[in-house]
Amino acid sequence: MDTRDARRSSAWLPVTWGVTRLVLLLFVLKVLVLPGPDVTGDVSVIYRDWYEVLRTGTFPHDDVTWQYPPAAAFAVLSPALLPFLSYPTAFFVLACGADLAVLALLCRAGRGSGRSSCGAWVWVAGVPLLGPTVYARYDVMVTAVAVAALLAAGRHPRVAGALAALGALLKVWPALVLLGMRGRAPWAAAVLSGAGLAALLAVTMPGAFAFLTFQRERGTEVESLGALVFHVARHFGWDGEVLLNYGSVEFLGPYVGTVSTVALALTALAFGGLLLWRAAASRFAAHTAADAAFVAVLVFTVTSRVLSPQYMVWLIGLAAVCRCYRASRMRVPVALVLAASPVTVLEFPLFFAEVVASDPLGVALLFVRNGLLVAAALVAARALWRDTVPHKARGRCGRLSRTPPADTPATAP
């Protein structure tokens, strides 16, 4: 009975993926039209302009909207692989291809003892809940690299490290997948391959690291957790404004700098907490690397000054990897992230005008979406700590538990 159910589930996976992704493609190709702002503008205008600059052998270092590490050039230039298509169409097709690659990786990872096809289903169901924005940004390509790195960690740690480094040079956050990996091999591979690729790009193309200055000068984006302060304050006379700034819609005005500083401080505090966990943790199982990566990216997402809709693609990808392991402790946090996904497509693009105007509907959507993500981060962090830190170590860190977990150590990957 279980075998038949598994086969039936596996048969429905490609069908569901094909139907939902066809709908996404129809939206980005504008055969179907979603209400709200055009989500494809980044590809057809911004990415295309960067493409023309990158083809000359230099980075768009005079453009403040270029806020990405140097390997992002690979994603922006990738439509050249399909020269028979227009730039936007080629980009959307390649984004769909990256989506399919993630599904293939998850299907393979879900086979075997202690594994589950739930991970593949999280990806198949979660991505369309975010709407066409998924194919209109290069984040799905980055997520594919991060997923590959995590799934390679057990048997091919050096490959995992090299992939994590590539992902970090695409969009920084995949460096966090190293957090729960055991041994020196992935870290050494990440440092060596990352440094080599970064040096090559810096030498061959001017302006490779100009993005660092632009990132430092960003403000508080209207969809972030900190932005809720100003959404509420606008109803009590706060006289700031909302403007397109450094490539995103941000709050500008009194106290914005303070809130941005608090966000950075929370991120630093979160980083310290993750280091504390890494020092205290001693029980590493096959699922620990995925769980740790999911927690790290969740925490950094909710404390960031920017929380764009495409960030949810990262979380869904890592959530899917977690659910490939039956022993993962991330079931509830994964469910919370999935619940936040349809709310995300409501706040952008469907009701983004209401969000920008701080209308009650827009503010309510942000409170729900961001609240679900904060809850997911807190629950996930607690679960990771309880799963990997022995009871005695918890006591030393001032985190005594009334119900300690089993003291049998898990097998290291």
Side-chain angles (χ1 to χ4, degrees):
M1 182 70 177
D2 291 342
T3 302
R4 288 198 300 271
D5 289 344
R7 289 177 179 173
R8 190 178 299 114
S9 175
S10 297
W12 276 106
L13 265 173
V15 173
T16 307
W17 184 90
V19 171
T20 55
R21 275 42 177 194
L22 175 60
V23 174
L24 290 181
L25 284 171
L26 291 175
F27 274 119
V28 292
L29 293 173
K30 300 184 180 179
V31 177
L32 301 175
V33 178
L34 201 64
D38 180 10
V39 301
T40 66
D42 279 26
V43 174
S44 59
V45 178
I46 299 176
Y47 287 13
R48 179 58 189 268
D49 289 346
W50 291 342
Y51 173 82
E52 297 297 339
V53 175
L54 289 166
R55 288 177 63 191
T56 68
T58 184
F59 286 91
H61 52 83
D62 293 329
D63 184 349
V64 296
T65 62
W66 176 260
Q67 300 181 10
Y68 306 107
F74 299 149
V76 175
L77 290 169
S78 63
L81 297 171
L82 303 174
F84 48 88
L85 297 175
S86 67
Y87 182 89
T89 302
F91 185 92
F92 301 144
V93 170
L94 290 170
C96 184
D99 180 356
L100 181 59
V102 174
L103 176 62
L105 289 169
L106 293 169
C107 286
R108 187 174 183 275
R111 301 181 188 135
S113 177
R115 302 300 182 95
S116 171
S117 63
C118 289
W121 276 110
V122 167
W123 180 255
V124 168
V127 167
L129 291 177
L130 296 173
T133 305
V134 175
Y135 284 0
R137 306 290 188 272
Y138 80 92
D139 295 81
V140 67
M141 302 174 185
V142 183
T143 301
V145 175
V147 167
L150 277 175
L151 294 177
R155 295 184 179 180
H156 308 286
R158 290 182 178 84
V159 173
L163 287 170
L166 173 60
L169 287 171
L170 281 166
K171 207 166 188 181
V172 180
W173 70 266
L176 295 172
V177 304
L178 290 166
L179 183 68
M181 294 185 189
R182 295 277 279 175
R184 297 179 180 178
W187 291 84
V191 171
L192 291 175
S193 58
L197 180 57
L200 177 64
L201 289 168
V203 169
T204 57
M205 296 179 67
F209 293 94
F211 78 98
L212 294 172
T213 300
F214 301 148
Q215 278 286 352
R216 186 177 65 245
E217 295 175 356
R218 295 196 71 162
T220 298
E221 192 254 349
V222 295
E223 297 162 281
S224 65
L225 183 64
L228 289 170
V229 173
F230 301 110
H231 283 297
V232 173
R234 290 175 90 181
H235 293 275
F236 294 92
W238 180 73
D239 60 354
E241 55 186 347
V242 176
L243 293 175
L244 183 63
N245 188 52
Y246 288 97
S248 65
V249 181
E250 299 179 352
F251 280 112
L252 298 174
Y255 307 110
V256 172
T258 300
V259 170
S260 296
T261 300
V262 170
L264 290 172
L266 288 174
T267 298
L269 184 64
F271 183 69
L274 291 169
L275 292 179
L276 175 64
W277 166 79
R278 193 67 172 85
S282 61
R283 307 193 319 177
F284 286 76
H287 63 274
T288 302
D291 286 1
F294 181 56
V295 171
V297 176
L298 253 177
V299 168
F300 278 92
T301 298
V302 298
T303 59
S304 175
R305 293 170 294 170
V306 181
L307 212 170
S308 299
Q310 61 266 26
Y311 290 17
M312 295 294 295
V313 184
W314 318 343
L315 297 176
I316 289 175
L318 298 181
V321 178
C322 291
R323 296 294 281 118
C324 285
Y325 300 94
R326 295 185 186 276
S328 172
R329 301 298 188 264
M330 296 297 126
R331 294 188 179 190
V332 172
V334 167
L336 291 171
V337 168
L338 288 175
S341 298
V343 186
T344 299
V345 79
L346 288 175
E347 63 92 359
F348 183 88
L350 293 180
F351 296 104
F352 192 60
E354 284 76 6
V355 170
V356 172
S358 301
D359 284 352
L361 175 60
V363 176
L365 289 172
L366 286 182
F367 264 107
V368 172
R369 195 277 300 269
N370 292 349
L372 287 168
L373 293 181
V374 169
L378 294 174
V379 173
R382 182 176 185 271
L384 178 66
W385 184 276
R386 292 174 61 86
D387 186 44
T388 58
V389 178
H391 183 52
K392 291 181 180 179
R394 283 189 246 161
R396 287 195 299 270
C397 295
R399 293 176 178 269
L400 291 171
S401 171
R402 294 181 181 179
T403 55
D407 55 5
T408 302
T411 303

